[in-house]
Each structure stands twice: as C-alpha cells, then as structure tokens.
Amino acid sequence: MLLMNILGIETSCDETAAAVVRDGTTMLSNIVASQIDIHQKYGGVVPEIAARSHIEAMQPVIQEALDTAKLTWDDIDGIAVTRGPGLIGSLLIGTLTARTLALVKNKPLYGINHVEAHVYANWLIDTPPTFPLLALIVSGGHTQLALFRGHEDYELLGQTQDDAVGEAFDKAAKVLGLPYPGGPSIAKAATQGNKEVYTFTKPKTANLLDFSYSGLKTALLRAAQKAAGGDHTLPSHQVASRITDAQRADLAASFQATAIDVLVDRLEKAYMTHRPASVVIAGGVAASQPLRDAISKRLDVTVPYPPMSLCTDNAAMIAARGYFAAKAGQQISAHNLVTDPSLSM
Ligand code: KG4
Ligand code: ZN
C-alpha cells in the first residue's frame, strides 16, 4: 500500500504549528510555537499580536516539522491547513502559507475544520477509536458534542449557546486574579478549596444537549464581588485584590465543579441515548484531571486520553484529519480555499 505523508498547518489561535503525519495515524513530527507567554501579560489572546507572531514563526516551524520527520518536500503527498473556525488574522497566515506552498511545490491541498480535527488527535494514539463515536470537544473556543458514524458522517448533538467552557475558565481566572490560561490555574487553586462553599446553579438549555456558560461566569463574578465586600457595581478588576486566598480557592473549586458537572451531564445523557462504541474528549479542557475523574465516575466506558500535546492546539490533528479528507477526495484548489472564522461543524 502507498504511504501518504501529510503536512499539517495550524494557526487558528495563538499556536503556530506544523506537523507531518503518515497515513492519518503515525506522527513523524509535531512542532508547536506557542505564544502563551506573549499573551499571558494581557490575560488572554490579543488577535493582532497573534497574527504578527504567526508571520514570524510560520516558515521556521514548517521547516522544523520537515526536518524532524527527516523528510523533504518530495516526500510530502499533501498539505492540510485549518481554514476555520478561529481568529481571522491568524487563520489567514496559515491558509495563505498553505495555498502558496501547494502552488509552488505542486501538492494537493485540503481545508480542515479545526473543531473536527480536535477529534482526530485520537487517531494518533495506539488504539484509535471505533464508530459510532461520541466526541465531547472542549477548549477555549469550542464546546461541542458530536456523534460520528464514520469519517465524513457526523451529527452535531449539542453546542454552547454562548461562551466556550475554556473561555469561561479563562474569564473566571481573570476575575479571581489567577494566571492565563485559566483551566490549569483554577484547577490548582481548587485543590486548596471547598466546592461546597458556593452554590452555582447549572444552566437550563432548550436542547438538553446544548451548553451555556455565560450565566455561570456572571454568577462567579457576583459571588466574588460579594466575597470582596462589594456589590455588582464593584469593578471586576478590583475583586481579586480584595478576596482572601481561602475565598479564591473556594470560588475556584465551586466554579470548577459546576463547569465540569454541566459537561458530564450532557455527555452522560448523549451516551445513554446513543450507546456509542467509543467516547473521546478532545480539546485543551480534556487536560482537566477533575473532568477526567468525573467522567470515569459517571460513565461506564474507558476514555482514551491523548497526551496533552495532542489535546491542545496542534498541527498533527490537522494532518490526521487531512489524511481522511484526502481519502474522501476532498482536495481543493489553492485558488478556491476560503478562510472562515466562524466555520461550524
Ligand atoms: O484546545 P486549546 O489549546 O485551544 C483552543 O482551541 O481554545 O484549549 C485551551 C483551553 C483554555 O481555555 C484553557 O483554560 C483550557 O483549554 N485548559 C484547561 C486545562 N488546561 C487547559 N481547562 C481545564 N483544566 C485544564 N487542566
Ligand atoms: Zn482548538
């Protein structure tokens, strides 16, 4: 059988990434230049800075992906690039690079949906999942629940009506004076706290498999303002310095418990309804140990977790998805590839 090496390119948010994956399953390289330290001082991603950093990092990252894979352009059978969703300025750097390379190097090009690709991180581990596959995709930009019956055959079961869960973690961390990214820093603070101290109500959504996080985010702000001795008029940036470390830890623990509960409620409901052959959790929030613990407590299924480097944004997942796109004949001309910042599943 012919081997197929796909070069993946990912620039949807604040990581400049390139990777080479063979046959959608074997990772030959996975290079990520993270901008996390640049954005950390602003407490979140600054789109203009992200785009500029992609321009600087793109070429060296692609070269490093080829070098690490010990391949030259002759060995590359196709280029897969994230075409959305994401930040427009960031996406454009990746797609323009991929389109140019596809033309200059004369390679087939594939435009990839970043959210779908997160699920494909699971094809890069030892035992890939089997269909039907229930996927919970949770990151700073996405909160989706999807049922895959095959590679090109899936149904979106539910999604967030407002903020993504990772975004809620990031905003909650900012209120509590904890560093970006919020997920890990809230998890760390929560280990010192008691989740029973504050009670946050879980959102109700018309579609029982949808998610909502803006109410929880506001509830956390109100509880923190109160803990700081103020009311809803206390500016959010003044809250962190007026609460004690114990209050911060309890707020973090209570917030985290509710945020996770909402995810697991929906996942369990979908699991009971569809009885899939496998379940995967994709995206940066899959790194959450409390989330993993809650899932294993409530669902009678073994969930394979890819290493952290494949849960957060990376290009190997784009290349893996690209391989199946190639097999499905989804090649697109470099002239016709359209960048879509709000591309949905
Ligand atoms: O997939 P990702 O790297 O980027 C996006 O596509 O958004 O996900 C980043 C998100 C951030 O919001 C971060 O707070 C969250 O993943 N995250 C976590 C953890 N590690 C990262 N959330 C909860 N617990 C964690 N340990
Ligand atoms: Zn992502």
Side-chain angles (χ1 to χ4, degrees):
M1 225 185 74
L2 214 60
L3 296 173
M4 200 174 199
N5 297 321
I6 302 279
L7 173 76
I9 295 176
E10 153 65 34
T11 62
S12 67
C13 190
D14 60 342
E15 340 267 9
T16 315
V20 181
V21 170
R22 180 167 290 164
D23 288 349
T25 51
T26 309
M27 201 163 63
L28 302 184
S29 62
N30 188 24
I31 310 299
V32 181
S34 176
Q35 307 172 6
I36 225 166
D37 44 348
I38 306 174
H39 300 285
Q40 217 153 29
K41 58 175 178 277
Y42 302 100
V45 176
V46 184
E48 289 77 9
I49 297 176
R52 204 173 327 140
S53 305
H54 285 309
I55 296 175
E56 286 163 14
M58 192 74 269
Q59 294 299 341
V61 164
I62 291 173
Q63 191 56 51
E64 196 180 340
L66 290 170
D67 292 347
T68 306
K70 298 195 170 56
L71 299 178
T72 68
W73 276 104
D74 287 344
D75 307 309
I76 298 298
D77 302 297
I79 301 173
V81 63
T82 303
R83 75 171 192 92
L87 301 169
I88 181 69
S90 292
L91 286 167
L92 278 171
I93 309 305
T95 52
L96 279 170
T97 305
R99 290 166 65 191
T100 307
L101 287 170
L103 287 171
V104 172
K105 308 288 184 187
N106 195 24
K107 305 289 178 189
L109 180 65
Y110 305 94
I112 303 299
N113 180 317
H114 176 93
V115 187
E116 284 177 27
H118 265 299
V119 176
Y120 281 77
N122 289 280
W123 266 265
L124 296 165
I125 58 177
D126 284 347
T127 27
T130 47
F131 298 115
L133 159 70
L134 179 63
L136 175 67
I137 306 148
V138 278
S139 75
H142 346 283
T143 310
Q144 266 110 339
L145 196 52
L147 184 69
F148 285 71
R149 295 193 175 84
H151 286 294
E152 309 307 322
D153 177 15
Y154 67 78
E155 181 191 345
L156 186 61
L157 301 175
Q159 61 185 326
T160 183
Q161 299 302 294
D162 37 64
D163 293 351
V165 58
E167 184 183 359
F169 270 114
D170 295 340
K171 287 176 177 169
K174 204 166 180 175
V175 167
L176 297 178
L178 296 165
Y180 172 84
S185 59
I186 286 199
K188 191 170 168 220
T191 59
Q192 308 297 317
N194 177 357
K195 66 178 166 58
E196 312 296 339
V197 172
Y198 298 92
T199 309
F200 297 121
T201 41
K202 292 192 264 181
K204 289 196 176 59
T205 49
N207 169 1
L208 296 179
L209 296 179
D210 276 343
F211 306 83
S212 167
Y213 280 100
S214 75
L216 177 61
K217 177 188 67 187
T218 308
L220 171 91
L221 174 62
R222 294 288 175 266
Q225 285 167 322
K226 207 170 154 198
D231 62 11
H232 68 279
T233 59
L234 180 67
S236 63
H237 64 270
Q238 288 179 20
V239 169
S241 60
R242 298 186 188 200
I243 56 175
T244 65
D245 282 344
Q247 285 173 321
R248 195 178 338 271
D250 291 339
L251 285 161
S254 304
F255 175 87
Q256 177 177 258
T258 310
I260 287 175
D261 229 17
V262 172
L263 293 179
V264 185
D265 281 353
R266 270 61 170 175
L267 183 67
E268 187 180 34
K269 192 175 276 300
Y271 180 75
M272 293 305 182
T273 309
H274 298 283
R275 290 285 170 188
S278 43
V279 174
V280 304
I281 316 297
V285 181
S288 164
Q289 193 56 48
L291 171 64
R292 294 178 181 200
D293 294 344
I295 290 170
S296 72
K297 234 182 245 163
R298 296 224 335 235
L299 263 70
D300 187 21
V301 63
T302 308
V303 179
Y305 290 100
M308 195 49 215
S309 57
L310 293 175
C311 287
T312 52
D313 287 351
N314 66 86
M317 68 184 196
I318 305 299
R321 179 72 191 93
Y323 169 76
F324 294 103
K327 285 224 312 194
Q330 293 173 350
Q331 182 181 342
I332 184 160
S333 124
H335 301 287
N336 293 340
L337 184 101
V338 177
T339 306
D340 183 354
S342 50
L343 184 67
S344 60
M345 271 188 95

